[in-house]
Structure formats: C-alpha cells, structure tokens
Amino acid sequence: MSLAPDGSAPPSSSTNGSTASGGSADIIEQTLTWGAHNYHPLEVVVSKAQGCWVEDPEGNRYLDMLAAYSAVNQGHLHPRIIGALVEQAGRVTLTSRAFHNDKLGPFLEQLARLSGFEKVLPMNTGAEAVETGIKAARKWGEKVKGVPAGEGEIITFEGNFHGRTTTIVGFSSDAQTRDGFGPFTPGFVSVPYGDIDALAAAMNERTVAVLAEPIQAEGGILVPPEGYLQKMRALCDQHNVLMYLDEIQTGLGRTGKMFCFEHAGIRPDLVSVGKALGGGVFPVSALLADDKVMSVFNPGDHGSTFGGNPLGAAVAMAALDVLIDEGLVARAQELGEYTFKRLRAIDSPHIAEVRGKGLLIGIEVPVSSGVAKPFCKKLMKRGLLCKETHEQVIRLAPPLVIEKSELDWALDQIEAVFTA
Ligand SMILES: *Cc1c(COP(=O)(O)O)cnc(C)c1O
C-alpha cells in the first residue's frame, strides 16, 4: 500500500522498527493494513490537540478547519468538558436505562429548556437519533394521524445525508452510499432540495413526516432558497405532517444560531442533534419533540444500552454550558460574516461560489479548475486541515472558539493557495 499516492512526502518518515512505533508513515501503514478501507483520510496523523490546533507525532502543527464535521465546536480538549468527563468517570459511567442515574435528569432538562421542546430522547450517534425520529414519525402517523399500519411515507431530499444505517442509506440519493447495501426499507420518497412545488406535490394523506437538513452540509453546504423552510412549515401544517429537521451538523451554534431553523423563525416538530452535543469527547445524540409526538413511545418501544448514560450526560451538560457561557453562537455569527467578506474578496478563477451560514462555509471550485481535493492538499502543506465534500466543495468549519487572529492566518493561507 503506497503511503502517498500523490507522490508528496508525508511530514516525515519514521524508519524505526517493524511495528508502528510512533512515526506518521508507520501509523498510516498500520491503519491501512489492519483497518477496513471505508475511509480515505488525508495523509496526516493527529496525536495531540488543543483548542483549534492539532499536532502530528513529528511535532507539525495544523489548524483544524473541519472540527470533526462540527463535533468539536467547543474546541479540542476544552478544560471544562474534560473536567466533567474526568469527574464523572470517577463516579459512575453506565447504568443502562434499567435504572435511573443522577445525571440524566439534569441533562434532559437542560437540553429541553435550551431547545424549547417538551421531551428529549437520548441516544449516542447521530444515525441513531435519526432512526429514533423516523420511528417516532411513523408511529405518530399510525397512532395519531390514522395512517393505515405500514403505509406511512416520509419525504426526504436529493443530496441528503442523515447517517449510515441500512434504512438511512436506503433513502440517500448518492449512488456509492447505497451501492451493494440493499434491499432497503420502503416508505421513503425523495424530492429535489429547495423546490417547494416538488415538496407540495409529494404530500398525500399517507405522508407522516418531511425529513430535511436546514442546510445540506455533506451535500456540499447547500443553503435552500430564502423562505423555503417557512413554506415547508406551512405545507406540513396544511397536510398534518411532522416537520423533522436534522440539526446534527447545523445545530448547537455552528450556523450562528443555536439551531439553524431559528434563522427562518420557525419551529419544527422533531429535531435530531448530535455531534457537538458530545463536546468532541463522547458520542451523545438526541431526538427533541413535544409530548404530542414523543408520547407515542411507551416503555419497551425503543432504547439503547448506552443512550442516556451518566458519563455522556455529564459531558453533554458541560458541552452545552461552554456554548452558552463562552458566547460561541454569537461568535460563529460574527466570525462567519467576517470570513464571508474576506473569502468573497478573493479574486481567483478557482472559486465559483462561497456559501453557507455562520461558520459552516463551502468554497466551490469550478469544474474548470479540477476537483477540490488538490486544494485541500495544498492547504495542508500550509498547515490547514480541510476536507472536501462532494468533489467540488471545500468545507470550512473550524471550532467556534477560533481566535480572529487564527482565522485571519487561515484566510491568508486560503488566499495564497487560491491566487497562486
Ligand atoms: C454526521 C451527521 C449524521 C450522522 O451522525 P453519526 O454520529 O455519524 O451517526 C446525521 N445527520 C447529519 C446532518 C450529519 O451531519
């Protein structure tokens, strides 16, 4: 297995010994040898991190402009979150939901009050939270709306990303995401994202929910047209359909509001959150809804061994505290506006469009300039870790704790690469 397919040398090559003994090249080889090849990471090994910065075993430092797909909004190793982790690890970590634990109640109340929803159902990964929402919507459809058993339909969108379970990939429009994994769960229909007439036409008396991302992040940082979410809300009301927004990536401050739907001034019926809810430390996700939907779940209907565990709950409470106490939501808004201004001022034939909200920003590379990945590699050589999404788009999503001076430095590197 070659270590650097593009011919570039990794930051340094360790030659000491037969097992991976600490050097980046050895570690990458070991990972490729023993791990399934379901990812194709950049050729960089992270062995330490702090705030916005990560470091490889050779001591090279990089500014993290991906923040683990927004799971590290609070920055790496935030002392308050790590403190909560360590403190809770010395008390109790797991009880299962067969018993109560003393951290779950406070966490549920905090997240419910923060979001304005009456009930919270805790899970671990994002995909599990989405699955939970799908189950809630289907059961609500059958028990409350009166859709005949097994006939409920959920409307999804072309370009969606909601996770990797077999049900969820079944309604992906991405060929590779689906290829080979069928047969898929029925009951999902798909319409173009941003097209309100297509959505209206897809609604019928069997529709139980519309499942959407308020911005399609994995899809290429696609922001829907102005007024789209408001019209989606109105259609859902008109047809007695649940509006279900997946805020796993857009939520918790990333777009300059606590939840991206606040930009539209509407309130969905179901929301899934994850990623930054665990403060970059521990997987914590949740489904948020009011009683009228959440009450469809009865004891035994749904669950998770680790969901709602006290370690995750303690971490999540600290993660939410940090977002609020450090004003990270307003920070994302301010720094986002500044970043847009600077990016849009770059005069480069390699930038087709800059789009997004807050600190969730996509730079689209025109097809005439090739794909985005080589630009990411050049940025990496300048100490910036970025990842392309969907061939043509470079996503910028740094930790929300990033300093203005650090952001300026990052923008200088981006400008240099795009104007070279
Ligand atoms: C990351 C993501 C998910 C899946 O979360 P996992 O924790 O990887 O399962 C679902 N929806 C959106 C919008 C995401 O960005």
Side-chain angles (χ1 to χ4, degrees):
M1 195 53 62
S2 88
L3 294 178
D6 68 341
S8 72
S12 93
S13 294
S14 166
T15 51
N16 55 347
S18 56
T19 61
S21 47
S24 288
D26 281 356
I27 290 166
I28 290 172
E29 184 176 77
Q30 182 182 43
T31 306
L32 291 173
T33 301
W34 298 101
H37 293 186
N38 57 327
Y39 278 95
H40 185 43
L42 277 179
E43 305 271 333
V44 61
V45 176
V46 174
S47 54
K48 266 208 251 179
Q50 186 69 62
C52 300
W53 294 89
V54 300
E55 196 177 312
D56 71 11
E58 289 74 24
N60 299 304
R61 278 159 55 84
Y62 300 89
L63 188 61
D64 180 0
M65 292 296 281
L66 180 65
Y69 302 91
S70 295
V72 188
N73 283 0
Q74 300 89 343
H76 293 277
L77 262 58
H78 194 290
R80 211 163 148 189
I81 301 173
I82 298 299
L85 176 85
V86 170
E87 149 87 6
Q88 189 58 38
R91 292 173 178 273
V92 58
T93 57
L94 185 62
T95 57
S96 85
R97 296 292 300 278
F99 314 122
H100 287 277
N101 75 70
D102 69 342
K103 286 294 177 288
L104 180 56
F107 163 55
L108 298 175
E109 179 173 352
Q110 185 178 5
L111 185 53
R113 288 190 185 280
L114 175 81
S115 64
F117 286 95
E118 291 166 357
K119 289 284 190 290
V120 175
L121 198 162
M123 298 295 281
N124 312 284
T125 64
E128 287 173 305
V130 172
E131 289 275 351
T132 302
I134 291 168
K135 286 169 106 174
R138 284 182 162 190
K139 196 156 187 187
W140 173 87
E142 206 170 303
K143 308 291 176 190
V144 180
K145 181 170 177 174
V147 175
E151 289 188 18
E153 275 181 14
I154 294 177
I155 301 174
T156 64
F157 295 88
E158 286 170 21
N160 73 72
F161 183 84
H162 298 288
R164 298 289 197 168
T165 65
T166 43
T167 287
I168 291 170
V169 300
F171 58 80
S172 170
S173 58
D174 181 63
Q176 192 195 352
T177 298
R178 296 164 54 93
D179 184 33
F181 299 129
F184 298 117
T185 311
F188 297 92
V189 296
S190 177
V191 299
Y193 188 65
D195 180 344
I196 200 69
D197 296 331
L199 178 60
M203 294 226 176
N204 63 55
E205 66 285 354
R206 295 183 308 279
T207 309
V208 298
V210 174
L211 168 56
E213 297 152 90
I215 292 175
Q216 285 192 335
E218 297 312 300
I221 321 293
L222 299 176
V223 183
E226 200 60 40
Y228 183 63
L229 293 179
Q230 291 92 324
K231 289 176 190 154
M232 183 186 289
R233 175 73 271 176
L235 278 175
C236 287
D237 289 340
Q238 195 184 322
H239 294 270
N240 191 24
V241 163
L242 299 176
M243 181 174 180
Y244 176 9
L245 292 183
D246 181 352
E247 292 256 16
I248 289 167
Q249 189 159 162
T250 52
L252 305 182
R254 173 55 56 187
T255 70
K257 298 275 188 197
M258 185 57 81
F259 296 96
C260 190
F261 64 74
E262 294 171 42
H263 289 287
I266 52 108
R267 188 168 177 272
D269 303 298
L270 291 167
V271 176
S272 40
V273 287
K275 292 203 164 105
L277 187 55
V281 168
F282 201 85
V284 185
S285 68
L287 180 74
L288 314 174
D290 285 341
D291 280 318
K292 66 163 188 168
V293 180
M294 208 68 107
S295 62
V296 300
F297 286 122
N298 297 303
D301 283 354
H302 185 56
S304 159
T305 303
F306 276 81
N309 71 81
L311 188 60
V315 164
M317 285 190 278
L320 294 174
D321 284 342
V322 166
L323 284 178
I324 290 164
D325 294 350
E326 299 189 9
L328 296 185
V329 182
R331 203 180 164 75
Q333 178 65 32
E334 275 165 40
L335 293 179
E337 278 169 23
Y338 176 73
T339 304
F340 275 106
K341 219 173 280 166
R342 275 207 57 184
L343 288 175
R344 287 188 172 138
I346 298 175
D347 181 18
S348 165
H350 306 308
I351 299 180
E353 195 186 14
V354 178
R355 57 179 181 252
K357 268 197 168 79
L359 278 176
L360 180 62
I361 298 170
I363 301 175
E364 182 169 337
V365 175
V367 178
S368 56
S369 298
V371 293
K373 191 160 188 148
F375 289 93
C376 292
K377 287 188 175 170
K378 284 182 198 155
L379 289 167
M380 184 181 130
K381 291 209 177 94
R382 287 174 165 272
L384 222 60
L385 291 188
C386 303
K387 182 90 171 88
E388 78 282 0
T389 175
H390 272 246
E391 304 283 291
Q392 298 308 127
V393 182
I394 302 172
R395 166 182 13 213
L396 304 181
L400 307 182
V401 295
I402 192 167
E403 293 294 338
K404 174 114 182 309
S405 56
E406 294 168 325
L407 189 58
D408 266 319
W409 177 81
L411 289 162
D412 291 344
Q413 308 314 309
I414 292 167
E415 184 162 359
V417 163
F418 277 95
T419 55

